[in-house]
């Protein structure tokens, strides 16, 4: 939203409203875990600011809460020893890779949309307020074959919860 403002760059990656009132030549960029407010003329000094941030809080630069993929995006909501909770948004017509994890199990709960799920030899659809469990070592995939975004809450449990624990078998986007 903007009133009596001009020549500004206003970006919000989350469902967060930016309201500008009487400002000019500013960049306001809001992400899930940080907000940048800058004069547009000073943006050439952004690398210097990022270096300072890296020295003070390197985790903000290396572990983003929102991660964008060809099929949509996910956001880590909470993480601790032995578990991680993500909000996954799968774009219309998109599919995650067919994969398995050696060190973690997953539980998917559909919040909205319709999930096309493949777990082991079973293929089925899940709607809002339905869920499924994927044990460690089970081959699985998740797709959105419908005309509205699919939103899933994923709860991971196990010893290794990072992206290194993915063995892909099939991927529409050419990832290994």
């Amino acid at each position: 939203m903007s009133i009596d403002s001009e020549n500004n760059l206003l970006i919000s990656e989350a469902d967060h409203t930016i309201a500008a009132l009487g400002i000019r030549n500013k960049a306001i960029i809001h992400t899930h875990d940080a907000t940048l407010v800058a004069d547009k003329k000073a943006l050439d000094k952004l690398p210097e600011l990022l270096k300072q941030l890296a020295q003070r809080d390197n985790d903000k630069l290396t572990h983003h809460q929102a991660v964008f993929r060809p099929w949509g995006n996910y956001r880590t909501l909470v993480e601790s020893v032995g578990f991680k909770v993500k909000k996954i948004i799968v774009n219309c017509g998109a599919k995650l890779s067919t994969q398995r994890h050696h060190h973690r199990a997953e539980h998917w709960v559909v919040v909205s949309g319709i999930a096309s799920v493949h777990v082991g030899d079973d293929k089925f659809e899940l709607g809002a307020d339905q869920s499924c469990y994927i044990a460690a070592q089970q081959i699985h995939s998740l797709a959105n074959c419908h005309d509205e975004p699919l939103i899933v809450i994923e709860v991971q449990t196990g010893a290794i919860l990072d992206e290194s624990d993915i063995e892909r078998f099939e991927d529409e986007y050419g990832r290994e």
Side-chain angles (χ1 to χ4, degrees):
M1 303 174 81
S2 179
I3 295 176
D4 193 27
S5 299
E6 59 186 48
N7 197 29
N8 296 303
L9 173 65
L10 307 174
I11 298 174
S12 178
E13 81 172 25
D15 290 334
H16 186 87
T17 300
I18 296 177
L21 181 60
I23 63 170
R24 282 151 187 57
N25 303 315
K26 302 294 183 239
I28 302 173
I29 302 169
H30 177 78
T31 66
H32 186 74
D33 57 354
T35 303
L36 170 71
V37 179
D39 190 298
K40 286 174 70 176
K41 294 176 187 171
L43 288 177
D44 61 329
K45 295 184 180 170
L46 186 57
E48 184 180 325
L49 182 65
L50 292 174
K51 279 183 188 176
Q52 287 183 20
L53 181 60
Q55 290 171 350
R56 197 186 99 218
D57 191 0
N58 188 45
D59 192 55
K60 287 263 191 251
L61 297 177
T62 58
H63 296 96
H64 300 282
Q65 289 182 326
V67 178
F68 294 89
R69 296 286 188 244
W71 46 260
N73 67 79
Y74 67 86
R75 180 180 311 279
T76 299
L77 303 175
V78 64
E79 180 176 6
S80 191
V81 176
F83 79 94
K84 182 186 290 188
V85 180
K86 291 180 177 179
K87 176 184 177 184
I88 299 172
I89 300 176
V90 184
N91 296 332
C92 304
K95 180 182 183 228
L96 283 70
S97 60
T98 300
Q99 58 187 255
R100 80 169 148 205
H101 310 289
H102 295 280
H103 303 283
R104 75 174 184 238
E106 297 176 343
H107 190 123
W108 293 338
V109 180
V110 175
V111 175
S112 66
I114 299 171
S116 297
V117 178
H118 168 221
V119 179
D121 294 329
D122 297 326
K123 292 183 180 184
F124 49 93
E125 287 191 335
L126 297 173
D129 201 31
Q130 294 182 313
S131 65
C132 69
Y133 175 76
I134 301 106
Q137 303 288 337
Q138 277 192 303
I139 295 174
H140 60 281
S141 66
L142 175 66
N144 179 3
C145 302
H146 299 276
D147 294 333
E148 65 178 282
L150 170 63
I151 300 175
V152 174
I153 298 298
E154 176 181 86
V155 178
Q156 302 175 359
T157 56
I160 298 175
L161 302 174
D162 61 35
E163 297 301 299
S164 69
D165 188 30
I166 295 176
E167 181 183 0
R168 286 192 175 89
F169 295 95
E170 191 179 301
D171 184 62
E172 294 180 6
Y173 312 103
R175 298 171 299 167
E176 294 182 15

